[in-house]
Amino acid sequence: MAGVFFNTSAVGDHVDFRDKKVIIIDDFQGIRTMLREMLKAYGAVDIDTASDGIQALNYLGRKRYDVVLCDYNLGEGKSGQNILEEAKIKGYIPTNSAWIMITAEKTMDMVMGAAEYQPDDYIIKPINEGALRTRLEKILLRKEVFTEIDKAIRNKEYEQAIALCESKAKSDDSNAYDLLRMKTQLCLQTGKLDEAREIFVQILEDRSLPWARIGLGRIHLMNKDYLEARSLFEEVIEDSRTYLEAYDYLAQTYEMLGELDKAQDVLMRAAEMSPNAIQRQKVIGDIALKRKDVTVAREAFEQTIALGKYSILKSSSAYIGLAKAHAEGGQSDAAMKTLEQARSEFKGNAEVELHAAVTAGDILNRMGDKEQAQKSLAEALKVMERLGTKVATPIALDAAKVLLDLGDKERASTVFSQVIKNNSDNDEVIAQVKDIFIEANLQEEGQKLIESSRKEVVEINNKGVLLAKEGKLEDALELLRQAALKLPDNPKILLNYCQVMVLYMQKHGKNSRLLHEGRELAERVIRLDPSEKRGPLLLATLGRMK
């Protein structure tokens, strides 16, 4: 199962609830009162209650709770699952807190859905006072070991958090695997792939744990060892059919191998077990659209939109995808109506406005209305100019392709050039650019544009490095700062800029602004390219400068 609850078999002393901060989230006053009285009987004093998702998230955003008791079904509005996913994304849940999902349902959909977002446990109503206390104590006693680690993570002291996980794992046999799992998560987050790999291999030599096998598979996936990754994810699914995380990573691997049919199939198998995972439904839609499987794409995007109604994961791109699916199926009116819904639902969002205008231009062009298509693209380009470098690569590619289809090669080339420079070492994006030019019978022009754009990035990087070597650190900083502003997704530009920051501070002393910016750059590089070795090295160096 995707969310493995903490093993609660070994328990020592009782928990002192007097110093625990608790929140109860339930839409029924009677249940809130009953749970409050139970917790008071355990000794709890600091108890808050919330009747809906908005109120609950306001509390969670202001205060760090030791215990969260959350009903799964809260009526109209955010569900318990919506609250949990948003609290995790926003970092509202300490590592050492206990989140218990409460439900009256026993359906497979609910159990799998709850498990995917990894609460620590869930309880079926009616609630027994003794059973609730026992479960809470088991979880809290085991999680006490994470208190120091959580503090280090909150302070972004990742090296210290990793060291704490390692030292505690050596002295605490009962929690060793949970601590090692936390250590590998931190290693993956900070780009320490080799260190994480070593732990996964050691664990698998001792026990066949699904999460360790998935972790090893993830490293192979990051390093583009797709066949090794595929083998590991397939093994997990064969041994643990309900471990849904493996399905998602296997689908990613199939997609990288160009096996879109298999990627779609494996995700749909996962969706049958857990149909309420919004991100998985969105990926099914994206893959089905690439395969021109219009029916599946339309159903998946519609499901994504429905699930996202009250979710932080509500996605404008699901509306755009649905519009494209309608257009592929020859339903142009439905496509244009969906784009209007996207504009309405995300009013004031310039990126949504841009993507809707680009997609409308594509649909109008297909309908043969070139004049209206050009008007829509002109509107899109105005928004694009306003957004500058903040335009996401997929949207920019869509815009460039439609411009090319409309015969506006000059403006299309300008947009393509920016995409290439921002992704000069991203083989997947470069391949997409090549495919668009091949489809337009402009293969030679496309290749020249790719080469010239990549050359420009190399020249900027080389100039910055040369200035640094000559000791002109301020000039190097300014050159690379401007380059990073224009190309915020190019790892090499960001790395060189970060490296010059380090050199500058080593010479002139610590600078709080450069330290903060440098850490953000190194973390961004790790997210953009986890296999890049310099990202974690620079992050560690900056950490030691604090």
Side-chain angles (χ1 to χ4, degrees):
M1 195 174 289
V4 180
F5 302 131
F6 276 84
N7 181 345
T8 58
S9 56
V11 184
D13 300 328
H14 287 292
V15 169
D16 185 350
F17 282 89
R18 288 175 297 179
D19 64 347
K20 301 299 180 191
K21 296 178 179 65
V22 183
I23 183 168
I24 299 163
I25 307 165
D26 199 293
D27 55 330
F28 287 106
Q29 176 65 53
I31 299 292
R32 296 197 299 273
T33 301
M34 179 191 73
L35 288 171
R36 179 193 279 273
E37 292 307 311
M38 284 185 185
L39 287 155
K40 281 183 177 178
Y42 306 160
V45 177
D46 190 342
I47 305 170
D48 294 321
T49 62
S51 59
D52 59 46
I54 293 173
Q55 190 180 21
L57 286 161
N58 283 336
Y59 273 121
L60 290 163
R62 295 197 304 264
K63 188 170 173 181
R64 300 187 76 79
Y65 290 94
D66 302 291
V67 176
V68 181
L69 300 177
C70 182
D71 191 40
Y72 183 82
N73 190 343
L74 296 167
E76 184 66 19
K78 289 181 182 292
S79 67
Q81 183 169 312
N82 293 148
I83 297 169
L84 177 55
E85 69 191 7
E86 185 161 344
K88 287 207 165 192
I89 287 167
K90 290 183 174 178
Y92 292 165
I93 311 171
T95 312
N96 59 336
S97 71
W99 186 295
I100 308 288
M101 196 72 81
I102 300 170
T103 179
E105 301 178 47
K106 299 179 184 179
T107 63
M108 184 70 162
D109 288 4
M110 189 289 302
V111 173
M112 296 297 285
E116 287 215 69
Y117 289 97
Q118 300 182 40
D120 297 298
D121 204 347
Y122 63 91
I123 292 178
I124 306 293
K125 293 178 182 178
I127 300 165
N128 176 281
E129 183 176 334
L132 176 61
R133 177 168 188 159
T134 299
R135 290 200 188 188
L136 280 173
E137 286 186 336
K138 286 179 178 179
I139 294 166
L140 289 169
L141 284 166
R142 285 183 62 79
K143 286 200 164 194
E144 280 179 5
V145 72
F146 290 94
T147 301
E148 286 181 88
I149 297 166
D150 181 68
K151 183 180 178 182
I153 292 170
R154 287 203 315 270
N155 293 331
K156 292 196 170 185
E157 294 169 347
Y158 300 120
E159 295 287 330
Q160 185 184 349
I162 288 168
L164 283 167
C165 287
E166 186 172 356
S167 62
K168 288 176 183 292
K170 288 176 181 176
S171 60
D172 186 346
D173 289 342
S174 62
N175 292 305
Y177 282 117
D178 289 331
L179 286 159
L180 288 173
R181 186 175 189 179
M182 174 63 74
K183 181 182 175 182
T184 58
Q185 289 171 353
L186 289 165
C187 285
L188 291 175
Q189 184 181 335
T190 54
K192 296 175 177 287
L193 302 191
D194 292 339
E195 195 170 337
R197 184 206 307 272
E198 188 177 331
I199 297 167
F200 290 133
V201 170
Q202 287 175 353
I203 288 171
L204 290 169
E205 286 174 355
D206 183 41
R207 289 179 63 184
S208 181
L209 295 175
W211 61 263
R213 212 181 296 175
I214 285 178
L216 190 56
R218 285 179 64 190
I219 292 172
H220 284 301
L221 183 57
M222 291 173 191
N223 287 327
K224 302 181 182 179
D225 301 326
Y226 301 128
L227 296 180
E228 289 289 340
R230 183 183 67 185
S231 176
L232 284 160
F233 299 138
E234 287 175 342
E235 284 173 16
V236 173
I237 292 170
E238 188 176 340
D239 294 344
S240 309
R241 190 182 69 86
T242 58
Y243 213 100
L244 298 179
E245 192 178 11
Y247 290 76
D248 297 324
Y249 285 118
L250 180 57
Q252 282 184 41
T253 309
Y254 280 141
E255 193 170 2
M256 297 311 296
L257 289 166
E259 299 179 272
L260 295 182
D261 54 339
K262 290 184 179 179
Q264 181 176 317
D265 176 68
V266 78
L267 288 171
M268 291 182 75
R269 281 159 52 200
E272 283 177 14
M273 290 182 275
S274 181
N276 298 327
I278 183 171
Q279 289 170 303
R280 185 176 298 121
Q281 290 289 352
K282 167 68 169 53
V283 177
I284 290 171
D286 289 337
I287 291 172
L289 192 59
K290 287 179 185 175
R291 296 184 63 240
K292 301 198 183 298
D293 188 344
V294 174
T295 301
V296 170
R298 190 165 52 233
E299 289 174 356
F301 287 129
E302 285 172 348
Q303 178 78 332
T304 306
I305 290 167
L307 291 170
K309 186 175 182 182
Y310 299 110
S311 172
I312 191 175
L313 299 172
K314 181 176 181 177
S315 168
S316 62
S317 57
Y319 288 83
I320 303 297
L322 180 57
K324 289 179 178 180
H326 282 314
E328 282 289 342
Q331 299 174 308
S332 300
D333 289 344
M336 298 301 280
K337 185 178 178 182
T338 302
L339 292 177
E340 285 307 310
Q341 288 175 338
R343 288 186 174 105
S344 174
E345 286 290 326
F346 298 88
K347 198 168 184 178
N349 186 315
E351 191 170 87
V352 176
E353 187 184 331
L354 167 61
H355 211 176
V358 168
T359 307
D362 183 35
I363 293 166
L364 289 163
N365 189 40
R366 291 190 199 195
M367 292 166 63
D369 192 344
K370 214 160 196 173
E371 185 179 341
Q372 288 302 317
Q374 287 170 336
K375 283 184 180 178
S376 190
L377 257 292
E379 176 192 334
L381 289 170
K382 284 180 187 175
V383 180
M384 211 169 189
E385 191 174 336
R386 194 165 80 238
L387 286 170
T389 60
K390 294 177 183 176
V391 179
T393 294
I395 302 175
L397 277 174
D398 277 356
K401 184 181 184 305
V402 180
L403 285 166
L404 204 59
D405 290 343
L406 288 167
D408 192 342
K409 286 200 286 185
E410 186 178 342
R411 284 196 289 187
S413 294
T414 300
V415 178
F416 275 125
S417 181
Q418 176 66 16
V419 169
I420 295 161
K421 285 186 283 190
N422 217 6
N423 298 273
S424 57
D425 292 317
N426 187 323
D427 294 338
E428 189 181 354
V429 172
I430 299 301
Q432 288 178 57
V433 173
K434 285 180 180 178
D435 288 343
I436 292 169
F437 276 97
I438 288 168
E439 192 179 328
N441 291 317
L442 295 167
Q443 184 172 356
E444 191 175 333
E445 288 184 42
Q447 188 58 40
K448 284 180 180 177
L449 184 63
I450 290 168
E451 289 171 3
S452 63
S453 300
R454 279 176 152 174
K455 184 181 177 184
E456 194 175 326
V457 174
V458 170
E459 287 173 352
I460 293 169
N461 259 322
N462 288 347
K463 188 174 179 181
V465 171
L466 182 62
L467 285 169
K469 283 181 178 178
E470 291 173 348
K472 300 174 182 176
L473 294 176
E474 289 185 3
D475 292 341
L477 272 177
E478 181 57 24
L479 175 75
L480 291 168
R481 185 181 76 83
Q482 292 298 329
L485 287 171
K486 291 176 184 174
L487 306 174
D489 293 331
N490 189 302
K492 282 191 177 173
I493 292 283
L494 302 184
L495 279 170
N496 284 331
Y497 180 31
C498 190
Q499 180 70 63
V500 174
M501 285 183 186
V502 169
L503 292 172
Y504 182 87
M505 285 187 283
Q506 285 172 342
K507 182 176 180 179
H508 297 286
K510 188 171 67 175
N511 179 303
S512 58
R513 182 185 65 80
L514 289 181
L515 265 177
H516 177 73
E517 188 179 355
R519 285 177 65 88
E520 286 192 338
L521 285 173
E523 287 172 1
R524 182 166 180 78
V525 168
I526 289 166
R527 289 194 299 272
L528 288 169
D529 185 2
S531 64
E532 169 59 65
K533 304 292 184 186
R534 281 196 294 161
L537 290 174
L538 284 167
L539 187 62
T541 301
L542 289 161
R544 289 191 292 271
M545 286 182 168
K546 282 186 72 175

